[in-house]
Amino acid sequence: MKDSYRHKGLRSQLIKVLREKGIKDEKLLEAMGLIPRHLFLDNAFEEWAYRDVAFPIGSEQTISQPYTVAFQTQLLEIKGGMKILEIGTGSGYQACVLAELKAKVYSIERQQSLFIKTSKLLPEIGYNSIRTLFGDGYLGAPKFAPFDRIIITASCPEIPTALKEQLAIGGKLVAPLGSQQKQTMVLLTRLSEQEYDLEPFGKFAFVPFLKGVVKVD
Ligand code: SAH
């Protein structure tokens, strides 16, 4: 499957929709305008790739809605060269948005089948620099810490301590915080060794942040 002029056209429509919904970060919109989102879905669902909706990607998981990806990313105020940890690789789309913003991306997935599929896809579509990891996101990636930014793309009842500790001082973490049904997007800023600031944003609905890993037989 290739990226065609038709896909590019659909993509610019999507960017227009995101702008109308209030996404203002021009660099982010430009980055999302470059990523062939249809390559993250099975061929049969190609038509859905440029609608502003979440979509199933197998293993009971979803590729987040473009607006949600944009909203979380915008809150992080990413600058080139920043080291970012993503929890919940899923399709890999969000990781590519971060990579397009010239960040150094580490992304963890707990489902081995998805981890294998996405780790293969990313270099095939030109994203060679993203480091995918198989493991439990509750533990973060201590080997590569501290991170300038952390993004949790599954709903969490609380922000795991390990992730707060792996945030650089001055660093920011974005997460959908709340019950499995409904969450509030929060932005956590690490002010010092011990102090954190928490700001709430709008309501969202994500798939759950689950403990442990699921291995392929
Ligand atoms: N960022 C993804 C959306 C992922 S949906 C994208 O752009 O497509 C949430 C993902 O988080 C799912 O793939 C799910 O398996 C994963 N997940 C849930 N709990 C996790 C955990 N503890 N560690 C790592 N990944 C987790």
Side-chain angles (χ1 to χ4, degrees), residues 37 40 55 57-65 69 72 86-97 107-111 114-115 118 133-140 151-155 206-214:
R37 194 167 185 270
F40 297 82
F55 210 80
I57 51 168
S59 314
E60 290 172 19
Q61 300 306 325
T62 55
I63 178 171
S64 302
Q65 184 182 345
V69 170
Q72 282 197 291
E86 178 190 24
I87 310 297
T89 313
S91 69
Y93 178 73
Q94 170 75 68
C96 292
V97 173
S107 183
I108 310 182
E109 175 55 55
R110 71 183 283 274
Q111 296 214 35
L114 270 179
F115 161 77
T118 303
L133 309 163
F134 170 54
D136 182 357
Y138 270 91
L139 308 174
I151 175 169
I152 305 180
T153 70
S155 71
F206 279 76
V207 297
F209 188 13
L210 301 169
K211 289 199 172 148
V213 296
V214 181

Side-chain angles (χ1 to χ4, degrees), residues 183-207:
Q183 308 96 42
T184 302
M185 193 65 76
V186 298
L187 183 67
L188 180 89
T189 305
R190 186 169 196 178
L191 303 174
S192 68
E193 202 59 50
Q194 302 294 342
E195 293 165 296
Y196 294 86
D197 176 59
L198 191 74
E199 273 177 277
F201 291 87
K203 299 275 182 225
F204 287 84
F206 279 76
V207 297

Side-chain angles (χ1 to χ4, degrees), residues 28-118:
L28 167 62
L29 291 167
E30 196 184 310
M32 291 182 73
L34 291 172
I35 305 171
R37 194 167 185 270
H38 60 285
L39 301 183
F40 297 82
L41 304 180
D42 288 337
N43 291 6
F45 304 119
E46 219 210 29
E47 287 300 322
W48 285 85
Y50 298 105
R51 299 190 197 176
D52 190 25
V53 291
F55 210 80
I57 51 168
S59 314
E60 290 172 19
Q61 300 306 325
T62 55
I63 178 171
S64 302
Q65 184 182 345
Y67 175 72
T68 305
V69 170
F71 192 88
Q72 282 197 291
T73 311
Q74 182 167 269
L75 283 178
L76 287 177
E77 297 179 38
I78 288 157
K79 293 185 186 64
M82 279 184 172
K83 195 155 81 169
I84 307 193
L85 177 65
E86 178 190 24
I87 310 297
T89 313
S91 69
Y93 178 73
Q94 170 75 68
C96 292
V97 173
L98 301 170
E100 278 295 347
L101 292 167
K102 310 281 179 276
K104 174 81 196 100
V105 185
Y106 296 83
S107 183
I108 310 182
E109 175 55 55
R110 71 183 283 274
Q111 296 214 35
Q112 197 172 25
S113 54
L114 270 179
F115 161 77
I116 293 170
K117 191 172 163 196
T118 303

